[in-house]
Amino acid sequence: MTNAIGIVGGGISGTLSVLQIIKQSKKPLSIYWFDTQNKFCKGYAYNTFDEGHLLNVRASNMSVFPDEPHHFVNWLNIHHPKYSPKDFVPRKLFGDYVLHTFELLKKSNALITIHQIAEEVKSIKKIGDCFEMNTHQNYQVQKIILGFGNFLPAHPRSVSKEFISSKNYFQNAFNVQLTNQIQLHNNITIIGSGLTMIDVIVSLSHFNYKGKINVISPHAYIPQAHQENPLPSVEPFVNQNQAYTLLEILSLVNKQLKKAKKENLNLHSVVDSMRPFLQNLWLNFSIEEKKQFLRHLRHKWGVARHRAPSQSMAIFNTLKSSNQLQLIKGRISDIKLQTFGFEIFYSNNQTEQQTLHTQLIINCTGPESDYSQLKSPLIQDLINNQIISHDSIKYGINAQKDGYITNNIYTIGPPLKGILWESVAVPEIRVQAQELAPKIICD
């Protein structure tokens, strides 16, 4: 009989799981909810120090409940009425909403007892019909949800490794010490040019940073801006009952883009209209097709699919046009620690090896997804005991599409990226949480 559930991770994946269990359970349950950083309900993403860090999805699509689409907008109307459903609201504010929702909901079901434990789970062992979750003490549960969320990025590939231990190298772009450290230097470098880079640029602007900013990445692609586009959208063109090859879907997308240009339709709507079908499209690709996508199309897809609020991109463009910010196309081969800071060696298809001198480095290359490379004691324990393994493309955990890993252990959110591809944003994770809850609650 299931009477105790263990949930690892206090970010959005773990939180949405807890909310759905509270909503759906009709029997007594104890939830042991672990988060090492004690950032329950917010995690890193929504515990940001900067009000300028905005959601990349409009408020109208950020309800925590898939069956209550206006839940967040209604909350905004009561607590922050200046925001409209079309706005990209501060992530910090969204974190307040998630926490407020949890605090209200946990009082609504007297059958549920929640233990919030700010400790690191170091190992999980199967003991009879139960699992023993070990921190500095032991907790016994019948079922487990691994809601790991996103891990810090891998260190940049470099022959030299000494830079990693420097106080002026930041693996975590949201480290609270970063703000103070940046002000001491007049030349900094951001490695990676995606959405996290935009967050850093927004913060630098808000803190009135006057130094030189270098942004370097292999392709120098930057996010596109969300726009209020008055042009009509394309008609839906993906048949949900058809299994497409990668080449077939590429051909279809290119055809729709040409049609949109010819008929003066909204180009962004081509990608947006695919979102409801992306998981099924990915599930039907072969392993080789997935690897081809990662090698040749991943970065272009990221630019088209993951856009930034226009006000955030305006800050980036202003700094770039004033030449305070330099966007560099280059693949890094080495980072040497020097007395003045760092010497970065890079090259691209057009140029021989070049060097860049900088005083501080911020790693914005995106979360590490290869679980075999993670240093977490729990991850290593689970791998060593063959409870989890990486998926076929090393983008997360090997699991079924519903999150099932092994008997009575499930996962949700980013660990399923290799299985589902679209599995890191609230609109996808909230559905996963709703569908996972009955499997966790039932015996």
Side-chain angles (χ1 to χ4, degrees):
M1 178 178 178
T2 302
N3 52 40
I5 298 164
I7 298 178
V8 181
I12 197 65
S13 296
T15 303
L16 295 184
S17 300
V18 170
L19 293 179
Q20 286 295 338
I21 292 169
I22 295 171
K23 282 189 76 174
Q24 297 187 40
S25 183
K26 301 293 191 292
K27 67 176 186 179
L29 282 174
S30 290
I31 299 175
Y32 293 89
W33 190 12
F34 301 88
D35 189 73
T36 309
Q37 302 297 324
N38 197 21
K39 298 183 187 296
F40 292 98
C41 297
K42 296 188 177 185
Y44 276 113
Y46 308 116
N47 200 50
T48 173
F49 55 84
D50 193 331
E51 294 274 354
H53 292 165
L54 306 179
L55 295 172
N56 297 313
V57 177
R58 299 182 194 278
S60 58
N61 197 25
M62 286 297 290
S63 168
V64 292
F65 301 121
D67 54 347
E68 298 179 57
H70 305 298
H71 192 267
F72 180 41
V73 171
N74 292 340
W75 184 86
L76 286 174
N77 287 337
I78 296 170
H79 300 282
H80 300 274
K82 70 176 183 178
Y83 293 106
S84 79
K86 291 184 177 181
D87 285 337
F88 300 95
V89 305
R91 291 211 302 269
K92 188 175 181 181
L93 189 150
F94 181 76
D96 293 340
Y97 155 70
V98 176
L99 178 60
H100 186 251
T101 301
F102 167 69
E103 294 293 346
L104 285 178
L105 196 64
K106 73 177 183 180
K107 299 172 185 175
S108 69
N109 190 340
L111 297 172
I112 306 295
T113 304
I114 300 174
H115 308 273
Q116 291 172 253
I117 304 164
E119 299 169 5
E120 181 180 15
V121 178
K122 296 179 180 178
S123 66
I124 295 174
K125 293 181 174 61
K126 188 85 166 72
I127 300 179
D129 294 332
C130 297
F131 295 98
E132 186 175 85
M133 306 180 74
N134 174 259
T135 58
H136 64 272
Q137 55 187 319
N138 297 325
Y139 302 86
Q140 286 206 344
V141 301
Q142 285 80 44
K143 293 183 180 178
I144 291 174
I145 298 175
L146 302 176
F148 291 131
N150 288 317
F151 291 93
L152 292 177
H155 299 301
R157 290 183 179 178
S158 170
V159 175
S160 309
K161 305 297 181 186
E162 291 83 3
F163 76 93
I164 293 171
S165 58
S166 170
K167 67 178 181 180
N168 290 320
Y169 165 70
F170 287 84
Q171 185 185 16
N172 182 358
F174 302 108
N175 187 318
V176 292
Q177 302 299 321
L178 180 57
T179 306
N180 294 331
Q181 202 67 16
I182 282 177
Q183 302 298 341
L184 302 176
H185 304 291
N186 58 22
N187 188 304
I188 68 171
T189 296
I190 300 170
I191 301 177
S193 58
L195 293 172
T196 304
M197 176 274 292
I198 296 298
D199 281 337
V200 173
I201 295 300
V202 167
S203 293
L204 291 173
S205 175
H206 287 174
F207 299 140
N208 202 30
Y209 180 72
K210 298 299 184 183
K212 181 70 176 179
I213 305 167
N214 309 292
V215 176
I216 183 169
S217 69
H219 303 281
Y221 294 148
I222 61 170
Q224 295 181 3
H226 283 286
Q227 301 288 351
E228 284 292 338
N229 198 317
L231 298 175
S233 298
V234 300
E235 294 292 327
F237 59 90
V238 176
N239 182 347
Q240 62 181 346
N241 298 315
Q242 181 176 340
Y244 296 89
T245 66
L246 178 59
L247 286 177
E248 285 172 341
I249 202 68
L250 272 176
S251 175
L252 195 56
V253 169
N254 286 329
K255 182 180 177 181
Q256 290 296 319
L257 287 171
K258 289 177 182 177
K259 180 181 178 182
K261 288 177 182 177
K262 182 179 179 181
E263 299 180 9
N264 201 27
L265 302 175
N266 180 357
L267 288 172
H268 283 166
S269 70
V270 175
V271 171
D272 294 341
S273 69
M274 294 173 65
R275 185 167 186 169
F277 313 106
L278 288 173
Q279 290 185 351
N280 281 335
L281 289 171
W282 186 259
L283 284 164
N284 285 315
F285 289 160
S286 68
I287 293 174
E288 184 53 38
E289 285 177 315
K290 292 174 182 177
K291 290 179 178 178
Q292 286 176 344
F293 175 88
L294 295 175
R295 282 194 300 268
H296 304 297
L297 298 169
R298 174 170 62 94
H299 294 291
K300 289 183 179 179
W301 174 258
V303 170
R305 170 69 184 82
H306 300 288
R307 299 191 285 276
S310 57
Q311 55 265 56
S312 300
M313 290 309 300
I315 293 171
F316 174 90
N317 291 328
T318 297
L319 292 174
K320 187 171 182 290
S321 62
S322 70
N323 293 320
Q324 183 183 354
L325 185 151
Q326 175 185 208
L327 181 61
I328 303 169
K329 179 180 179 181
R331 196 174 296 276
I332 294 171
S333 59
D334 199 12
I335 301 175
K336 291 187 182 296
L337 188 60
Q338 307 285 12
T339 53
F340 61 79
F342 307 93
E343 189 173 22
I344 300 175
F345 296 82
Y346 69 94
S347 60
N348 57 46
N349 295 335
Q350 285 77 42
T351 61
E352 297 294 325
Q353 187 177 79
Q354 298 187 64
T355 58
L356 173 66
H357 294 161
T358 192
Q359 297 168 310
L360 183 142
I361 294 174
I362 307 167
N363 188 340
C364 295
T365 56
E368 174 65 89
S369 299
D370 183 352
Y371 275 59
S372 65
Q373 299 299 312
L374 295 170
K375 306 303 181 187
S376 157
L378 177 58
I379 299 296
Q380 292 302 314
D381 174 77
L382 293 172
I383 291 174
N384 291 338
N385 290 310
Q386 299 183 327
I387 294 174
I388 68 169
S389 60
H390 59 69
D391 60 56
S392 58
I393 57 172
K394 295 187 177 181
Y395 257 69
I397 293 175
N398 189 28
Q400 296 180 13
K401 64 181 182 179
D402 66 353
Y404 175 90
I405 298 173
T406 188
N407 196 27
N408 292 328
I409 300 183
Y410 295 81
T411 191
I412 183 174
L416 289 172
K417 186 172 182 180
I419 305 299
L420 299 172
W421 189 247
E422 287 288 334
S423 189
V424 299
V426 168
E428 281 74 38
I429 299 173
R430 67 189 176 200
V431 174
Q432 293 176 20
Q434 184 183 52
E435 295 175 351
L436 179 57
K439 300 179 177 71
I440 295 296
I441 294 166
C442 70
D443 294 322

